[in-house]
Every structure is written in structure tokens, then in C-alpha cells.
Amino acid sequence: MSQFNPLEAFNLPIVYWQIIWAGIIVAFVTVFALFAVYLERKISAYAQDRMGPMETGGWQGWAQTIADALKLLLKEDIIPELADRRLFKLAPYIVFAGSLGVMAVIPFGVNLIGTDLNIGLYFILALSSTVVIGILMAGWASNNKWALYGAMRSAAQMVSYEIPIGLSLMLPVLLTGSLSMIDITNAQKSGILADGYFWNWYIFRVPPFTLIAFILYFWASLAETNRTPFDIPEAESELVSGYHTEYTGIRFAMFFLAEYANMFIVAAIASVVFLGGPLAPAPWLNWIPGPIWMLLKSLVLVFIQMWLRWTLPRVRVDQLMHICWKIFLPLALVNFIVIATLVVLWQK
Amino acid sequence: MAEMRTALGMPITHQTKTSKNPIIQWILDVWEGFYTVLVGMGVTWRHFFRKPFTVQYPHEKLNIPKQARQRVHVDIDLCGGCLQCDKICPAGIIKIVTAKPVAGEDLGVRPNGKRRALHIAEFTIDHSKCLYCGLCETVCNDDAIYMIPDFQYTTRSLEQLVVNYSRYSPEERDRVVAAAAAEKAAKQASKPAVPQTKVSDPQPNIPSPSVDSDVFNEKCPGPDGEFK
Amino acid sequence: MNFQDIAILFFGLLTILSATFVTFSPKILYSAFSLLFTFFGVAALYLILSADFLAATQVIVYVGGILILIIFGVLLTARITNLEILEQTQQRFIALLPIGSIGLGLILLILFTNWPINLLPNEPTTATIGKKLILTYVIAFEASSVLLIAALIGAVRLGRERNDENVQ
């Protein structure tokens, strides 16, 4: 089942398959955002000894986020009078496209992928940097000091944290010798001891370096997605809600969707690159299809993101930069050099 | 960290290790940062499985103490029409209209054994203005006005919060008041020797219903913001 | 005219139009933001010509680095956002000399280059680029890294100097 190949199964030309996959991705991201918002509310509630939504839809308030989404879509779309109308309208699309484009190269199964670029991981890093432009555009076009502050902080943070992210993701690339997401997944099938077990995943491959790289990537990705403890671009207590303060209705929904899509994307990248993606943890679990493993691993990481959010307070701006440049960067560099040396020694 | 805890008088649960070598110190700091995050996550984890403190309000309610001052209720059968509550009410929201029974009319006995001396022609409380001070309950001689354990009595309009507790319909009220006034006028007509002082002398316990009603209505703006 | 030609025309046009907008836009921030489309157009052209690594690098370096730096510069400079840029020419004849020579050079380059008509097969270029950089063009590669280090040290020095003055 994990070897299911949609191209062979339906005998489709690749362009048709890619269009269908794009539709599936958009639908998936929407459904995931609804689910993740619900999950976030429930987790925050239980972390604070509350119950969260309990009424809408009956059992445990499951329909609350659906109702909220409908409300958001029906709301008036307000553009501030002194805003830069053209940039204000353009910004959500750039942010949304930048987030969603990354989904094209994330494998949900060994053959279930939008397009297997041979520069997959590099493509992800490139495309996620365009999100910053959209955020800066939104912040400036709103003509609001909070939005501008949020946008500047967000841009500074994302540009800084891209470096530890890139260096951490390079470890599996060094070990695989390829940037393709499919190659990285397949390389985690075998390696040490028996094939097909979880200890072949890159997180356990070269202890403790790959484990440190995984932790570094995961923490830095929190900054990339503007989540607590690195949520200073959206700091509610000081900036209202950061770069999307002035947005309402469907445009706000697009930012919101992009934010939750980003949460899933960083979790999915971490699970593909470090946790074997669609691979089962043991051969006797292979009967469970790959997409389910992939979703399961990603959702566990999303859960940890939320768990951290409701545990830690927000860091200060100088602490944020301190963590990035004085802790993450040296660790990532040392990791990188050690693994690069080991790979060269192994090849000889 | 440790110094802060001692300064605040808190017990030191976690001793920070220090080293003179800056690189080892850096590693220790990084480890401590990571370790304390894990400790915090452990705390959050324990909270996930705690019983929530909140209750699902409309479906389940917390026990309200007996002394709680909630909705004012009148047991009209017990009321003697002494107007104490009307006088003490800081918000002036109680309106009572009483009338003396005509000669030969017997109103019977109240449940507490006392004689019923007056018609309680009207006993209206405007709940929307009640400030829950409980003074009316304190001053009542007959325990006729008291708080009941009911705090959710939202209505669609403010008018619905003006409740008349009297058993008399408006027609009956007018009839009883008119009868009492007629008898009083007849008495005054039969005793012309002492008219000036008696008429000008106000009778505090039995106010003239028409005057009282005007005063009450002036205090009570209707839901549309205009005075009735 | 196949799909590839249409794509090349479309992205070429996008690049040129947005680059024109960069030059002629009265608002400096509009120029900065329209650079985004120029860079993306160029990246798309690289991609059509099966230079995928180069395309991603184009996006990562120009969009993720330089463009953000430009926008930061514009946003952080006081009162530059609403500055009306004067569009008028002065001293045309002196200006004609360098511009004309550059233009002539480019036209000659376009006319006399032997452009390969057949597109290369779409194959991974990453490993080839890496090997060329580290073997064939190693001196240029190392020189650029020295340049970057020098720039970094210079930036730190400039930043430090001001702090020392403040302390004194």
C-alpha cells in the first residue's frame, strides 16, 4: 500500500495529476486549519484546566471552528481608508502562495507527491523566503504602526532563523547525497542493523548530532512560523496582532490559513527529513499505508508545537537574536562540520 | 536564578552549575535552557489530565451559598401593607398601593395568624433596577419579602421585569381604591367640624394612590427611554 | 509555438514589465516590491531553461536576501517612503556616452553570440555546479568568500565603533 503510485494507478498525464494534487492540497490545508484551530483551543483549554469549546455541534463542540470559518467568510472586507490599496490586496496572496507552494514537494507517500524536484529541500527554503516579502507588504500597506512593527519583527526573525534551519536540514542532505525529498525518504529505509526499523531514521542515525539537528530545526521552525515562544511579531499584548492587524474577513482568513498551513509544513518537513516521513517504524507495521504514518508523525509534531506554545512565555527581541546567533548557529555549525567530516571519511 | 529564588524566599529546587571555562559554561547554559523547557513541558503535561475547574454553566451550576442575595420575591398573602420596604428601598423600585376596606368588609386572616387590615391593591417591583442590597428583606415585619435562589431571570424587554405581585387585577385595584376614597370622603363630609387640620394633615401610612402612582412612574423610564 | 515558448514569452514579458515599473515608479517602495516579480520572472526563465538549482538560488539570494534588505532599508529610512522621485534628465550628452556604449555592447553581444537552440535535457545540475565551484572555479569561489568575510568584519567594526563612542 505504501508503494501506491497514483500515476500508474489512474494512468494520468503528469500535468493532470499535478492539477488534481494542487486541489487536494488546498482542500487538505483548509481542513487541517479547521482541525488545528480546534486542537489548539482544546489543548490551550486543558493546559489551563479549562474545557474549551463544548457547545457548537454537540460532542465536545466539534463544529466550533467550522462556524467560525463561516462567520469569517461572511464578514465585511474592510480596507482602511489610508491603506495602500494595491499592496494591501496583494499581500495575502503572496503569503498564501508562498506557504502553499511548499506543499508541492512534500511526500505523503513514497510515490504520493506533487512533484519530486531534485532540488526539493532547497526549493522549500527558497519559497518560504518569499513569505517574508508578503508579510512586509501587508505590514507596510496597512498604514498602521502595530502592523509595521509586527512585519519588521517578523521579517528580521524569519531571515535570522533561516540560517540554523538551512544548516540543520543540510545534515540529512549530506547523509543522503541528494536534495530530493523522495531520495531522503528512501535513504531512511535501511542503514544500520535491520532494514525497515525506526532506528534507520535520520534522527537516530548519527547520535547525538542528528538528534541535535532535529531539535534545532524544530525550535527554529517555531520562529519561522511565528509561534510562541517566538511569537513577538504577533505579540497580542503589545502589537494587537502584528502584521495582519488591519485585515478582516476573507483576507484575514488567508493569513490565518497560511499560518496554520505553515505549522503543518514545518512539521511535515521535520517528519520527512528526520522521522522517515511515510515509512513505518517497523516492517510488521507496513500494512498501515504511508500517508497515515506521514500524517501521524506530522500531527504529533504539531501537537508538540502547541504544547510548547502553552508552556513557554514569549522571549524578548534581544533574547530572540541571542538564541539564534549565539546558541543555534554555533550548534548547527559544529553539527554540520562533524557530519560533513564523517560523511567524507565514510565515503573513503 | 538561584539568587533570585533566595531573594524571593523560595526554595531552591534546581541548582545551576557553573564553570570557569567559558565554553563549558556555554554548554551548561544551553543544557539548562533545554532542560528547564522540558521541566515546563512536564508541568503542562500534568495539567492536561487535571479535572477542569470550570463548569458548563447552563447545564451544571455551582452551589450558591444560602446568604446569597438574588432575586427578590414577595409572598403577597403574608404582606400586611406596612410600606416599610417601599420606604427603605434605596432604588425606589417598590410600589405599593393599599386601600382600607369599606365598613363591614372583613379581609380575613393572613397565614401567619395576623388580621388582614388592608387591601394590597398593587405591589409592583421593578427588578431591572434592583441593586440586591437586601434591606427590604431585613425590614419586613411579616417575612413577606425575601430573596429566592434564582439569579437568571433575563427577559426580552425591560417591561417584563416590572412584576406586580398583588392578587388584584387593575380593575379590582381601581374599584377597591375608589371605594376606600369614597368612604373617606363620606366620613369627612359627615364631620365638618374639624376639616382643615385633618385634610391638610398627611397620612403617611395610607398615601393617596393617584399621587403615589405619579411619583413611581416618574422614576421609571420605559424601555424606549421615555417617561411613561 | 509550443508550451515552452509561451512560458518563455510570458515570463520574459513579466520580467521586463516589472523591471520597467521598478525604474519608472514614482514611489520607491513600489519599485522595491515590483522587484519581487522581476526576480521571480528571471527565476522562472532559469527554470524553463532547466537550470533548477540556479532558479532556486536566484529566489533564495535575491528575494530572500537582497530584496528584503532593500525593503528594510526603504522602510527604516525616515520619510523616504513618500518621497517623490524627480524624473527628469540633465546633461544628456554626457550620460549618452556610458549608456550608449553599454547598449551598443549588449546589442553586439546579442547579435554575435552563438545561441544554442536545442534545450538541454532536464537533469539534476546540483552536483555539477558543486563540483565546478569547488574544482574549476575554486579561486573565484574563495575570493568571493573572502569578500563576504571582509564585508562582515567591516560591518561589525562600523557597528562597534559607534558603541565605543557612546560609552566614552
Side-chain angles (χ1 to χ4, degrees):
Chain A
M1 192 62 194
S2 60
Q3 299 300 316
F4 171 73
N5 190 336
L7 288 181
E8 288 169 11
F10 303 119
N11 198 18
L12 281 172
I14 187 127
V15 175
Y16 288 158
W17 160 246
Q18 282 169 349
I19 290 167
I20 291 168
W21 185 248
I24 293 173
I25 289 293
V26 172
F28 171 77
V29 165
T30 317
V31 172
F32 172 79
L34 291 177
F35 173 71
V37 173
Y38 176 75
L39 195 68
E40 177 113 53
R41 285 178 175 166
K42 277 292 178 191
I43 286 172
S44 68
Y46 280 99
Q48 296 169 346
D49 300 336
R50 294 184 286 115
M51 282 173 173
M54 291 293 282
E55 291 295 321
T56 319
W59 181 80
Q60 291 283 318
W62 63 272
Q64 184 64 51
T65 47
I66 300 170
D68 286 347
L70 282 176
K71 181 206 75 175
L72 211 56
L73 294 182
L74 296 174
K75 266 191 153 182
E76 189 189 351
D77 179 22
I78 299 166
I79 299 178
E81 202 178 309
L82 291 175
D84 194 317
R85 293 183 75 88
R86 270 178 282 183
L87 292 181
F88 191 85
K89 283 181 182 169
L90 187 64
Y93 298 104
I94 291 180
V95 172
F96 192 65
S99 291
L100 224 60
V102 173
M103 292 291 275
V105 295
I106 289 175
F108 280 79
V110 175
N111 289 311
L112 205 61
I113 186 168
T115 169
D116 179 23
L117 293 181
N118 61 62
I119 52 156
L121 212 52
Y122 200 56
F123 172 82
I124 288 172
L125 291 176
L127 216 56
S128 59
S129 66
T130 63
V131 174
V132 183
I133 304 285
I135 286 175
L136 275 172
M137 203 183 268
W140 189 80
S142 298
N143 205 354
N144 173 317
K145 56 183 166 184
W146 309 128
L148 188 58
Y149 268 128
M152 297 297 257
R153 285 185 184 188
S154 184
Q157 171 173 328
M158 286 167 96
V159 169
S160 305
Y161 275 86
E162 237 155 52
I163 297 161
I165 283 180
L167 283 173
S168 307
L169 288 181
M170 280 307 122
L171 260 67
V173 173
L174 280 174
L175 291 166
T176 314
S178 167
L179 284 161
S180 152
M181 295 296 264
I182 293 286
D183 287 352
I184 291 172
T185 308
N186 285 331
Q188 296 178 66
K189 274 181 185 165
S190 55
I192 32 177
L193 298 172
D195 288 358
Y197 281 97
F198 61 88
W199 53 70
N200 289 311
W201 297 350
Y202 276 141
I203 184 172
F204 303 116
R205 187 63 78 81
V206 194
F209 299 105
T210 43
L211 180 66
I212 292 173
F214 170 72
I215 293 168
L216 281 181
Y217 172 75
F218 190 75
W219 274 85
S221 72
L222 291 180
E224 189 87 352
T225 51
N226 296 334
R227 284 185 69 80
T228 325
F230 305 116
D231 69 337
I232 57 164
E234 289 169 26
E236 293 92 345
S237 45
E238 23 184 318
L239 293 187
V240 190
S241 81
Y243 59 88
H244 54 57
T245 302
E246 293 288 352
Y247 281 87
T248 51
I250 185 115
R251 288 180 214 280
F252 173 73
M254 283 178 85
F255 278 118
F256 205 63
L257 216 58
E259 216 163 276
Y260 276 88
N262 261 336
M263 266 173 73
F264 179 80
I265 285 163
V266 295
I269 294 166
S271 56
V272 169
V273 170
F274 290 103
L275 298 174
L279 301 178
W284 43 269
L285 283 169
N286 274 340
W287 56 274
I288 299 175
I292 291 182
W293 285 115
M294 176 69 195
L295 280 179
L296 202 66
K297 289 168 186 173
S298 308
L299 284 180
V300 166
L301 291 180
V302 167
F303 171 73
I304 296 174
Q305 285 178 353
M306 293 176 176
W307 184 4
L308 272 168
R309 172 168 178 181
W310 297 101
T311 299
L312 296 175
R314 185 182 307 139
V315 297
R316 275 196 325 256
V317 183
D318 62 317
Q319 289 170 333
L320 177 97
M321 290 299 157
H322 178 94
I323 291 170
C324 179
W325 295 104
K326 291 189 173 172
I327 294 169
F328 283 9
L329 191 63
L331 271 176
L333 270 175
V334 168
N335 253 338
F336 183 77
I337 291 165
V338 168
I339 294 290
T341 319
L342 283 179
V343 167
V344 170
L345 288 177
W346 268 333
Q347 279 175 349
K348 288 195 173 173
Chain B
M1 192 71 187
E3 298 85 53
M4 215 162 95
R5 282 188 157 262
T6 8
L8 291 169
M10 292 159 80
I12 295 166
T13 49
H14 172 71
Q15 189 70 51
T16 313
K17 284 180 191 142
T18 47
S19 167
K20 279 181 183 166
N21 187 326
I23 293 174
I24 294 174
Q25 180 63 52
W26 182 87
I27 292 169
L28 285 174
D29 285 349
V30 170
W31 170 250
E32 200 199 336
F34 181 68
Y35 173 77
T36 45
V37 166
L38 290 185
V39 170
M41 285 175 83
V43 172
T44 317
W45 183 260
R46 284 198 292 280
H47 274 271
F48 283 146
F49 300 102
R50 276 197 193 168
K51 195 177 166 289
F53 279 109
T54 49
V55 293
Q56 292 309 105
Y57 160 64
H59 310 301
E60 45 181 308
K61 290 169 190 164
L62 294 168
N63 287 325
I64 291 160
K66 269 186 184 173
Q67 308 91 309
R69 300 200 291 249
Q70 299 171 40
R71 183 184 185 158
V72 173
H73 183 75
V74 179
D75 190 344
I76 198 69
D77 288 338
L78 284 171
C79 179
C82 64
L83 303 186
Q84 289 293 328
C85 49
D86 187 8
K87 286 175 196 157
I88 201 88
C89 182
I93 60 169
I94 301 174
K95 177 197 176 186
I96 306 174
V97 176
T98 55
K100 274 189 176 176
V102 290
E105 196 180 5
D106 187 19
L107 296 173
V109 179
R110 284 179 272 161
N112 57 4
K114 295 182 187 169
R115 200 177 64 85
R116 182 169 286 142
L118 292 167
H119 292 284
I120 314 295
E122 190 183 337
F123 197 123
T124 311
I125 299 177
D126 184 359
H127 285 288
S128 64
K129 290 180 178 167
C130 180
L131 41 82
Y132 307 101
C133 60
L135 285 174
C136 49
E137 189 181 10
T138 317
V139 298
C140 188
N141 290 323
D142 302 312
D143 290 340
I145 187 162
Y146 49 85
M147 300 284 191
I148 53 167
D150 173 26
F151 56 88
Q152 37 180 32
Y153 50 103
T154 319
T155 53
R156 295 270 172 194
S157 72
L158 281 173
E159 284 163 337
Q160 282 171 277
L161 284 170
V162 182
V163 182
N164 187 358
Y165 288 90
S166 172
R167 292 194 189 285
Y168 292 71
S169 70
E171 295 81 38
E172 279 176 323
R173 184 194 73 166
D174 293 344
R175 184 177 58 77
V176 171
V177 169
E183 197 179 74
K184 194 172 148 193
K187 267 186 188 173
Q188 276 175 359
S190 64
K191 277 193 247 174
V194 276
Q196 266 85 18
T197 47
K198 276 262 170 167
V199 169
S200 62
D201 196 86
Q203 293 179 327
N205 279 357
I206 312 161
S208 159
S210 59
V211 170
D212 193 18
S213 134
D214 283 342
V215 168
F216 176 74
N217 285 336
E218 255 176 51
K219 289 182 203 162
C220 235
D224 49 355
E226 285 185 21
F227 288 101
K228 279 188 249 176
Chain C
M1 210 179 197
N2 58 7
F3 182 69
Q4 212 154 27
D5 292 342
I6 295 169
I8 286 180
L9 268 178
F10 174 75
F11 285 112
L13 222 61
L14 177 79
T15 314
I16 292 168
L17 282 180
S18 55
T20 325
F21 193 75
V22 172
T23 330
F24 291 112
S25 164
K27 276 191 175 177
I28 193 157
L29 206 78
Y30 277 17
S31 303
F33 279 124
S34 101
L35 260 181
L36 175 71
F37 297 97
T38 315
F39 291 147
F40 259 110
V42 172
L45 287 179
Y46 284 145
L47 213 59
I48 293 162
L49 300 172
S50 64
D52 47 2
F53 188 81
L54 207 58
T57 312
Q58 164 85 14
V59 173
I60 239 177
V61 172
Y62 284 95
V63 177
I66 289 171
L67 184 54
I68 288 174
L69 216 64
I70 290 173
I71 293 173
F72 252 74
V74 172
L75 291 185
L76 286 176
T77 314
R79 280 186 231 101
I80 201 176
T81 44
N82 292 323
L83 195 70
E84 288 288 320
I85 300 165
L86 293 175
E87 281 182 66
Q88 57 183 32
T89 10
Q90 289 172 347
Q91 297 180 323
R92 292 174 192 220
F93 294 105
I94 300 172
L96 200 65
L97 204 68
I99 290 168
S101 55
I102 290 171
L104 199 69
L106 282 175
I107 288 165
L108 288 176
L109 200 70
I110 290 166
L111 287 178
F112 291 100
T113 308
N114 186 21
W115 296 102
I117 302 295
N118 297 324
L119 288 169
L120 293 168
N122 203 344
E123 56 183 25
T125 53
T126 320
T128 329
I129 289 174
K131 274 177 188 152
K132 288 248 170 173
L133 272 182
I134 215 74
L135 297 172
T136 320
Y137 302 108
V138 66
I139 297 195
F141 183 69
E142 290 299 322
S144 64
S145 73
V146 168
L147 189 74
L148 283 175
I149 286 278
L152 262 177
I153 293 170
V156 171
R157 173 92 182 100
L158 284 173
R160 271 285 163 94
E161 213 163 30
R162 203 185 298 151
N163 277 347
D164 290 347
E165 278 169 15
N166 285 349
V167 167
Q168 286 161 6

